Amino acid sequence: MAREERTVNGKTSTDIRFFLTSFDNIELVKKSIRLHWGIENRLHWCLDMTFNEDYKRHRKDHSPENMTVMRRLALNILRQAEKPENKKQDSLSKRTIWFRENRQFRQTVLRLL
């Protein structure tokens, strides 16, 4: 059992989690879980929100692996690109739209290759 307390805006909440594991070190288990969700939030969620990866149906031969590599490459390049000056909101989804619609931004991104 792991008990966690969290305070946000003066409001404290307590979470109790139960784990079935052979590990004795609960701190190691908690660190592993945080690491897993960190990867999920930084990569998989971004790929799904930016490229709708969950709905892609590439199944033949090496197509799934190839397309995954291409989407990860595109995601990393879009993360490195500077946003256009006149844009206030900045997200990876917006950057894909800017890439399609703005020639100057597209050239900026392609220079990163």
Side-chain angles (χ1 to χ4, degrees):
M1 180 178 93
R3 182 184 307 263
E4 303 257 343
E5 286 191 11
R6 181 177 166 196
T7 304
V8 178
N9 296 329
K11 183 179 178 185
T12 302
S13 62
T14 303
D15 290 332
I16 299 174
R17 297 184 182 100
F18 295 91
F19 302 97
L20 296 175
T21 181
S22 60
F23 289 117
D24 293 339
N25 187 346
I26 190 66
E27 293 303 318
L28 180 62
V29 172
K30 289 187 331 188
K31 187 175 181 179
S32 299
I33 291 170
R34 280 192 211 101
L35 179 65
H36 165 76
W37 282 106
I39 293 168
E40 178 67 29
N41 291 333
R42 279 190 306 274
L43 180 62
H44 300 298
W45 186 83
C46 292
L47 285 169
D48 190 34
M49 292 296 108
T50 306
F51 300 112
N52 288 329
E53 190 173 58
D54 286 349
Y55 296 104
K56 303 301 182 200
R57 298 296 175 234
H58 303 284
R59 292 192 173 96
K60 192 171 181 182
D61 300 329
H62 296 286
S63 180
E65 293 89 356
N66 293 339
M67 291 307 297
T68 298
V69 168
M70 296 303 290
R71 282 191 288 271
R72 287 181 181 178
L73 176 66
L75 185 75
N76 288 328
I77 290 170
L78 286 172
R79 279 185 174 153
Q80 291 176 9
E82 293 181 21
K83 71 176 184 171
E85 295 125 16
N86 59 347
K87 303 295 182 181
K88 292 181 182 177
Q89 293 182 339
D90 186 29
S91 69
L92 291 171
S93 296
K94 297 267 187 205
R95 288 178 183 216
T96 59
I97 294 169
W98 298 337
F99 184 82
R100 284 192 307 255
E101 296 176 355
N102 186 326
R103 183 178 184 173
Q104 184 178 1
F105 182 68
R106 188 169 40 250
Q107 289 174 345
T108 301
V109 171
L110 292 176
R111 279 191 211 115
L112 294 172
L113 295 174

